[in-house]
Amino acid sequence: LTANLEVLHSPAIAEVAHAFSATPAQIVFSFARAVGIVPLTGTASLEHMRQDLASSSVALPADLIEAIKMLAG
């Protein structure tokens, strides 16, 4: 997540997160998995770890995956 802070904090990701009742980090983790990347978390926070693991239940539709790809460049 720290490599893509601009994407993580973008209004578009915030909007998607709100629509999915998720955190922006959960959207980024879900996106990463959708494009074949295994996301790694380095958090020491138990709550953040729970949120990171819960991101596996967020399924993004193909059109949102493509839109996020455009954000990430």
Side-chain angles (χ1 to χ4, degrees), residues 34-72:
V35 298
I37 298 169
V38 176
L40 301 175
T41 182
T43 186
S45 163
L46 181 58
E47 182 57 30
H48 286 168
M49 181 59 72
R50 286 184 179 132
Q51 290 175 2
D52 295 348
L53 292 171
S55 71
S56 64
S57 66
V58 177
L60 300 174
D63 62 327
L64 279 178
I65 293 167
E66 291 304 314
I68 295 170
K69 281 182 186 178
M70 299 304 290
L71 279 176

Side-chain angles (χ1 to χ4, degrees), residues 2-61:
T2 57
N4 294 300
L5 289 177
E6 185 176 307
V7 173
L8 181 66
H9 297 298
S10 76
I13 294 296
E15 185 177 320
V16 172
H18 179 73
F20 281 81
S21 298
T23 67
Q26 288 173 321
I27 298 302
V28 172
F29 275 122
S30 180
F31 166 77
R33 281 191 306 279
V35 298
I37 298 169
V38 176
L40 301 175
T41 182
T43 186
S45 163
L46 181 58
E47 182 57 30
H48 286 168
M49 181 59 72
R50 286 184 179 132
Q51 290 175 2
D52 295 348
L53 292 171
S55 71
S56 64
S57 66
V58 177
L60 300 174

